[in-house]
Amino acid sequence: MSAPAPPPIDDTAAQVLRKFRVVFNAIRSHFRDIEKEAGIGGAQVWALSLVQATPGAGVGHIAKSMDIHQSTASNLVKTLLGKQLITLTKSVSDKRSVELHITAEGTTILKKIPGPFEGVLPMALATLPAATLDRLNKDLADLTLALRADEDAGNIPLANL
């Protein structure tokens, strides 16, 4: 015996679903364009742009700036190092920390990309009024509860999904 068919989606839910599709497609399209142009993924481009903007900053700076877990930022750095787009040196003042610098090849890659380096969603969110962001934050919290979603997924860059 098969499971009963789900009820049809109501008009408002269908409109919201369509808007999510538009948002996801805009994000995916942006990251696809970046990867095609740069030859590296969107999260790598964002991390690379942070190294360029803050020479000598470390992995912690990337993690904080991208709002990702330290281990995720570390993996991005390892990838960029492997592609020789950045260099890593031990800090002179604190041997436990490292300093990251962009290479000429990394700079060349960033010149190919019009931006935004961080992706279209963070840029769009930054343009919204505070009241809209507060409402959106609350409403999305309700949605994640209804989905029983894994909150740890919030530490993964969208470009990596």
Side-chain angles (χ1 to χ4, degrees):
M1 191 145 142
S2 63
I9 191 167
D10 73 30
D11 287 343
T12 303
Q15 289 173 7
V16 171
L17 181 58
R18 271 187 239 112
K19 285 180 177 58
F20 269 108
R21 289 176 182 149
V22 169
V23 169
F24 291 142
N25 282 321
I27 293 166
R28 186 176 37 209
S29 178
H30 174 75
F31 285 132
R32 193 179 314 123
D33 291 347
I34 281 180
E35 191 161 353
K36 190 170 153 185
E37 193 66 38
I40 61 174
Q44 294 167 10
V45 167
W46 188 2
L48 186 61
S49 74
L50 292 169
V51 173
Q52 181 185 49
T54 316
V59 177
H61 172 72
I62 292 173
K64 185 175 180 178
S65 297
M66 294 178 71
D67 190 34
I68 57 176
H69 195 272
Q70 181 92 9
S71 63
T72 305
S74 182
N75 288 336
L76 285 169
V77 166
K78 285 178 190 170
T79 301
L80 294 173
L81 284 167
K83 294 177 185 246
Q84 299 180 331
L85 302 177
I86 62 172
T87 60
L88 178 147
T89 56
K90 291 280 185 188
S91 171
V92 175
S93 60
D94 181 357
K95 295 294 180 196
R96 295 169 298 168
S97 27
V98 297
E99 296 178 354
L100 304 171
H101 296 274
I102 193 165
T103 64
E105 187 176 344
T107 300
T108 299
I109 283 177
L110 289 182
K111 285 180 181 175
K112 294 179 184 178
I113 302 164
F117 296 132
E118 69 276 13
V120 291
L121 185 58
M123 186 187 73
L125 290 172
T127 67
L128 296 177
T132 301
L133 282 174
D134 288 341
R135 188 176 61 248
L136 189 57
N137 187 40
K138 183 206 169 297
D139 293 343
L140 288 173
D142 292 345
L143 180 60
T144 56
L145 279 174
L147 287 170
R148 297 183 183 144
D150 178 8
E151 291 289 326
D152 289 340
N155 293 324
I156 301 169
L158 288 172
N160 291 0
L161 296 177

